[in-house]
Amino acid sequence: MPQFQSKPHYDILDGLRGVAALMVIVYHVFECFDWTPLPHGYLAVDFFFVLSGFVIGYAYDSRWKEGLTVGHFFKRRLIRLHPMVVIGAIFGAICFIVQGSVRWDGTHVSTGWVMVAMLLSMLMLPLYPGATADVRGNGELFPLNGPSWSLFFEYIGNILYALLLRRLSTRWLALLATLSGACLTYIAVHDGYLGVGWSMIDNGLWTGLVRMLFPYTIGMLMARVFKPIKKVRGVFWICAIVILMVGCLPLMFGDLLPWHNGLYDAICVIAVFPCLVWLGASQLSVGTMTGHVSHMLGELSYPLYAVHYPLMYLFYAHIGFDGNLVPISKMNEVWPVAVMLPVACILLAWLCWRFYDRPLRRYFMKASRMTQHKASNANSDESM
């Protein structure tokens, strides 16, 4: 692979990614109960997309003129993302089998179809509702590791960036961001919330694409026009608190109309999250303690997001559900397990990062460089 001059690293943005990943875990632990501390925790995914667009634009926009090719870009992104996709699918199959290979409605699923679902998930091939390989029977794109739906759209965003978005002028990119932002607002107001894209039900592919496209393009646009603002003391903690506050606000249903909640979601994605990314990117140097926290949260953020959900299958089996998908056990009966579950997710993520993801990525990058070096030597010999 071509070697490029390294760029300053945004430690604060890495740490905020970790905060958002933790928010997703808490949201998933409590989502089946009547009460949750983070009702809007699903918006953490939209923050991921804004962050991804900004980081991709910042890291790669200038490198196309330095020798980066579409093939090299895809190879880098696959090395960065796909090892955790694979291990997440494997963990999903293991946990699903351990919990009894039972769908939501109580029917048993054969191990063969679990293996098919695992293979499709490893290849990032989504399922349509009602497919036999939809082993959970919930209409998910990836039933063995639900959050993989956002990684699927992340892949689409990477493809769009390499083939189209990077070629757009700043003006055309701003226009695309504006149009996709309008579509995102319509979907949020129409549906009453932005927790869409995880299934093909109700035009899920379309809504998921829009949900990715706006934050992705606005992040890339910010990377092009970014200028740091005045240094703010404690910016990491300020941004982290704001992200948590966004998630803590109760869902605006009940006495309010559904579109009120959708409008809140749209405002968070269109205005709040880009501002947080801009603010977090404005300060490269942080204190020692904050730097350590941000670095570790950043390292664990992707493994944490990619492998936490299979443990939820064991938790849901422990809770039990009736025929109407209402949990049999109440929170006051299972709270010790609920409290320990995020700890178990963090431990599993650290083990994956330490002994699987980081060594494997280093191996693939080294192998790619050696292949590129041999190819260059071969071309030099032929030209002599």
Side-chain angles (χ1 to χ4, degrees), residues 84 300 303-305 307 344-354:
M84 293 308 304
L300 292 182
L304 195 56
Y305 184 78
V307 302
C345 291
I346 293 172
L347 177 60
L348 178 61
W350 182 85
L351 291 172
C352 289
W353 168 75
R354 178 65 177 82

Side-chain angles (χ1 to χ4, degrees), residues 317-354:
H318 175 68
I319 295 171
F321 292 86
D322 62 19
N324 296 317
L325 297 183
V326 176
I328 297 174
S329 300
K330 304 303 180 183
M331 175 53 67
N332 62 345
E333 299 172 334
V334 298
W335 70 264
V337 180
V339 170
M340 291 304 299
L341 191 55
V343 178
C345 291
I346 293 172
L347 177 60
L348 178 61
W350 182 85
L351 291 172
C352 289
W353 168 75
R354 178 65 177 82

Side-chain angles (χ1 to χ4, degrees), residues 185 188-190 192-193 252 258-269:
T185 303
V189 171
H190 179 269
Y193 79 133
M252 299 179 189
W259 71 265
H260 291 107
N261 189 78
L263 184 61
Y264 171 79
D265 287 0
I267 291 173
C268 289
V269 179

Side-chain angles (χ1 to χ4, degrees), residues 49 52-54 56-57 60-61 64 73-74 77 81 124 149-166 173 176 208-217 220:
F49 284 143
S52 292
F54 181 85
I56 288 292
Y60 290 104
D61 273 357
W64 298 98
F73 173 78
F74 286 151
R77 297 310 295 160
L81 296 175
M124 290 299 283
W149 73 266
S150 62
L151 301 177
F152 171 73
F153 285 107
E154 176 87 12
Y155 274 44
I156 293 178
N158 285 184
I159 294 171
L160 290 175
Y161 169 74
L163 301 182
L164 174 64
L165 298 179
R166 68 180 177 87
L173 186 62
L176 178 60
L209 180 63
V210 173
R211 189 180 179 186
M212 176 276 297
L213 190 59
F214 169 75
Y216 211 66
T217 52
M220 292 178 182

Side-chain angles (χ1 to χ4, degrees), residues 275-291:
C275 288
L276 292 178
V277 171
W278 194 293
L279 183 61
S282 295
Q283 184 174 331
L284 287 174
S285 60
V286 293
T288 303
M289 185 188 73
T290 302

Side-chain angles (χ1 to χ4, degrees), residues 10 29 39 67 78 96 103 124 132 142 144 156 177 188 204 208 220 230 260 280-281 297 321 323 331 344 348 359 370:
Y10 291 116
V29 170
L78 281 172
F96 186 75
R103 287 194 174 103
M124 290 299 283
T132 309
F142 301 95
L144 287 179
I156 293 178
M220 292 178 182
K230 185 179 179 181
H260 291 107
L297 285 174
F321 292 86
M331 175 53 67
L348 178 61
M370 291 179 63

Side-chain angles (χ1 to χ4, degrees), residues 96-235:
F96 186 75
I97 291 173
V98 169
Q99 65 90 15
S101 298
V102 178
R103 287 194 174 103
W104 286 107
D105 59 5
T107 59
H108 185 270
V109 181
S110 68
T111 302
W113 280 113
V114 176
M115 294 298 102
V116 170
M118 182 184 73
L119 179 61
L120 293 175
S121 184
M122 291 168 68
L123 298 175
M124 290 299 283
L125 297 176
L127 291 173
Y128 59 88
T132 309
D134 181 12
V135 294
R136 287 219 299 162
N138 204 28
E140 298 164 284
L141 295 181
F142 301 95
L144 287 179
N145 194 11
S148 288
W149 73 266
S150 62
L151 301 177
F152 171 73
F153 285 107
E154 176 87 12
Y155 274 44
I156 293 178
N158 285 184
I159 294 171
L160 290 175
Y161 169 74
L163 301 182
L164 174 64
L165 298 179
R166 68 180 177 87
R167 303 177 187 274
L168 297 179
S169 67
T170 301
R171 179 176 297 179
W172 280 104
L173 186 62
L175 178 60
L176 178 60
T178 302
L179 293 176
S180 58
C183 292
L184 180 109
T185 303
Y186 171 78
I187 291 171
V189 171
H190 179 269
D191 292 356
Y193 79 133
L194 270 179
V196 297
W198 55 271
S199 171
M200 292 189 190
I201 299 173
D202 297 331
N203 300 311
L205 281 180
W206 153 250
T207 54
L209 180 63
V210 173
R211 189 180 179 186
M212 176 276 297
L213 190 59
F214 169 75
Y216 211 66
T217 52
I218 199 66
M220 292 178 182
L221 183 63
M222 289 195 302
R224 291 190 184 183
V225 302
F226 176 74
K227 292 182 179 179
I229 62 175
K230 185 179 179 181
K231 184 176 180 180
V232 177
R233 186 176 182 180
V235 64

